[in-house]
Short mmCIF file of all heavy atoms in Angstrom, two decimals:
data_model
loop_
_atom_site.label_atom_id
_atom_site.label_comp_id
_atom_site.label_asym_id
_atom_site.label_seq_id
_atom_site.Cartn_x
_atom_site.Cartn_y
_atom_site.Cartn_z
N ILE A 904 -13.56 -5.17 6.87
CA ILE A 904 -14.42 -6.29 7.20
C ILE A 904 -15.69 -6.18 6.37
O ILE A 904 -16.25 -5.09 6.22
CB ILE A 904 -14.74 -6.38 8.70
CG1 ILE A 904 -15.54 -7.67 9.00
CG2 ILE A 904 -15.45 -5.14 9.22
CD1 ILE A 904 -15.63 -8.02 10.47
N VAL A 905 -16.11 -7.31 5.80
CA VAL A 905 -17.31 -7.39 4.98
C VAL A 905 -18.32 -8.26 5.72
O VAL A 905 -18.03 -9.40 6.08
CB VAL A 905 -17.00 -8.00 3.60
CG1 VAL A 905 -18.29 -8.18 2.80
CG2 VAL A 905 -16.01 -7.12 2.84
N ILE A 906 -19.52 -7.70 5.96
CA ILE A 906 -20.56 -8.39 6.73
C ILE A 906 -21.76 -8.60 5.82
O ILE A 906 -22.43 -7.64 5.42
CB ILE A 906 -20.96 -7.58 7.97
CG1 ILE A 906 -19.72 -7.20 8.79
CG2 ILE A 906 -21.95 -8.36 8.83
CD1 ILE A 906 -19.95 -6.06 9.74
N ALA A 907 -22.05 -9.86 5.48
CA ALA A 907 -23.06 -10.17 4.47
C ALA A 907 -24.43 -10.43 5.07
O ALA A 907 -25.13 -11.37 4.71
CB ALA A 907 -22.61 -11.36 3.63
N GLY A 908 -24.85 -9.57 5.99
CA GLY A 908 -26.24 -9.59 6.46
C GLY A 908 -26.53 -10.46 7.66
O GLY A 908 -25.70 -11.22 8.15
N ASP A 909 -27.77 -10.30 8.14
CA ASP A 909 -28.30 -11.02 9.30
C ASP A 909 -27.47 -10.79 10.56
O ASP A 909 -27.10 -11.73 11.28
CB ASP A 909 -28.43 -12.52 9.01
CG ASP A 909 -29.75 -12.87 8.33
OD1 ASP A 909 -30.45 -11.94 7.89
OD2 ASP A 909 -30.09 -14.07 8.25
N VAL A 910 -27.18 -9.53 10.84
CA VAL A 910 -26.55 -9.17 12.11
C VAL A 910 -27.58 -9.24 13.22
O VAL A 910 -27.39 -9.89 14.25
CB VAL A 910 -25.91 -7.77 12.05
CG1 VAL A 910 -25.49 -7.30 13.44
CG2 VAL A 910 -24.71 -7.79 11.12
N SER A 911 -28.72 -8.56 13.02
CA SER A 911 -29.76 -8.53 14.05
C SER A 911 -31.04 -7.94 13.45
O SER A 911 -30.99 -7.15 12.50
CB SER A 911 -29.32 -7.68 15.24
OG SER A 911 -30.35 -7.58 16.20
N SER A 912 -32.17 -8.29 14.04
CA SER A 912 -33.44 -7.66 13.65
C SER A 912 -33.60 -6.30 14.32
O SER A 912 -34.47 -5.52 13.94
CB SER A 912 -34.62 -8.57 14.03
OG SER A 912 -34.64 -8.79 15.43
N SER A 913 -32.77 -5.99 15.30
CA SER A 913 -32.82 -4.72 16.01
C SER A 913 -31.87 -3.71 15.39
O SER A 913 -30.66 -3.96 15.28
CB SER A 913 -32.45 -4.92 17.48
OG SER A 913 -32.14 -3.69 18.10
N ALA A 914 -32.38 -2.55 14.99
CA ALA A 914 -31.53 -1.51 14.41
C ALA A 914 -30.47 -1.05 15.40
O ALA A 914 -29.33 -0.81 15.02
CB ALA A 914 -32.39 -0.34 13.95
N ASP A 915 -30.84 -0.94 16.68
CA ASP A 915 -29.88 -0.48 17.68
C ASP A 915 -28.73 -1.46 17.85
O ASP A 915 -27.57 -1.05 18.02
CB ASP A 915 -30.58 -0.27 19.03
CG ASP A 915 -31.50 0.93 19.03
OD1 ASP A 915 -31.33 1.81 18.15
OD2 ASP A 915 -32.40 0.99 19.88
N VAL A 916 -29.03 -2.75 17.78
CA VAL A 916 -27.98 -3.76 17.89
C VAL A 916 -27.06 -3.69 16.68
O VAL A 916 -25.83 -3.77 16.81
CB VAL A 916 -28.59 -5.18 18.04
CG1 VAL A 916 -27.50 -6.25 17.96
CG2 VAL A 916 -29.35 -5.30 19.36
N VAL A 917 -27.65 -3.53 15.50
CA VAL A 917 -26.84 -3.40 14.28
C VAL A 917 -25.92 -2.19 14.37
O VAL A 917 -24.72 -2.28 14.10
CB VAL A 917 -27.75 -3.30 13.03
CG1 VAL A 917 -26.91 -2.99 11.79
CG2 VAL A 917 -28.53 -4.59 12.82
N ILE A 918 -26.48 -1.06 14.76
CA ILE A 918 -25.69 0.18 14.86
C ILE A 918 -24.55 0.01 15.85
O ILE A 918 -23.40 0.38 15.57
CB ILE A 918 -26.60 1.36 15.28
CG1 ILE A 918 -27.56 1.71 14.12
CG2 ILE A 918 -25.78 2.58 15.68
CD1 ILE A 918 -28.71 2.60 14.53
N ASN A 919 -24.84 -0.55 17.02
CA ASN A 919 -23.81 -0.74 18.04
C ASN A 919 -22.70 -1.66 17.54
O ASN A 919 -21.51 -1.38 17.73
CB ASN A 919 -24.44 -1.33 19.30
CG ASN A 919 -23.42 -1.50 20.41
OD1 ASN A 919 -23.00 -0.55 21.05
ND2 ASN A 919 -23.03 -2.75 20.66
N PHE A 920 -23.09 -2.74 16.87
CA PHE A 920 -22.10 -3.71 16.39
C PHE A 920 -21.21 -3.09 15.30
O PHE A 920 -19.98 -3.21 15.35
CB PHE A 920 -22.80 -4.95 15.85
CG PHE A 920 -21.86 -6.01 15.34
CD1 PHE A 920 -21.06 -6.72 16.21
CD2 PHE A 920 -21.78 -6.28 13.99
CE1 PHE A 920 -20.18 -7.69 15.75
CE2 PHE A 920 -20.90 -7.25 13.51
CZ PHE A 920 -20.11 -7.96 14.39
N LEU A 921 -21.82 -2.42 14.33
CA LEU A 921 -21.04 -1.83 13.25
C LEU A 921 -20.11 -0.74 13.77
O LEU A 921 -18.95 -0.66 13.35
CB LEU A 921 -21.98 -1.25 12.18
CG LEU A 921 -22.89 -2.25 11.45
CD1 LEU A 921 -23.77 -1.52 10.45
CD2 LEU A 921 -22.09 -3.35 10.78
N ASN A 922 -20.60 0.08 14.68
CA ASN A 922 -19.75 1.13 15.24
C ASN A 922 -18.61 0.57 16.07
O ASN A 922 -17.51 1.14 16.10
CB ASN A 922 -20.59 2.11 16.06
CG ASN A 922 -21.39 3.06 15.19
OD1 ASN A 922 -21.10 3.23 14.01
ND2 ASN A 922 -22.41 3.67 15.77
N SER A 923 -18.86 -0.55 16.75
CA SER A 923 -17.78 -1.17 17.53
C SER A 923 -16.66 -1.68 16.62
O SER A 923 -15.48 -1.65 16.99
CB SER A 923 -18.33 -2.31 18.39
OG SER A 923 -18.70 -3.43 17.60
#
Side-chain angles (χ1 to χ4, degrees):
I904 186 166
V905 176
I906 308 162
D909 274 12
V910 169
S911 177
S912 60
S913 164
D915 289 340
V916 172
V917 173
I918 290 166
N919 182 75
F920 181 70
L921 297 179
N922 284 342
S923 71

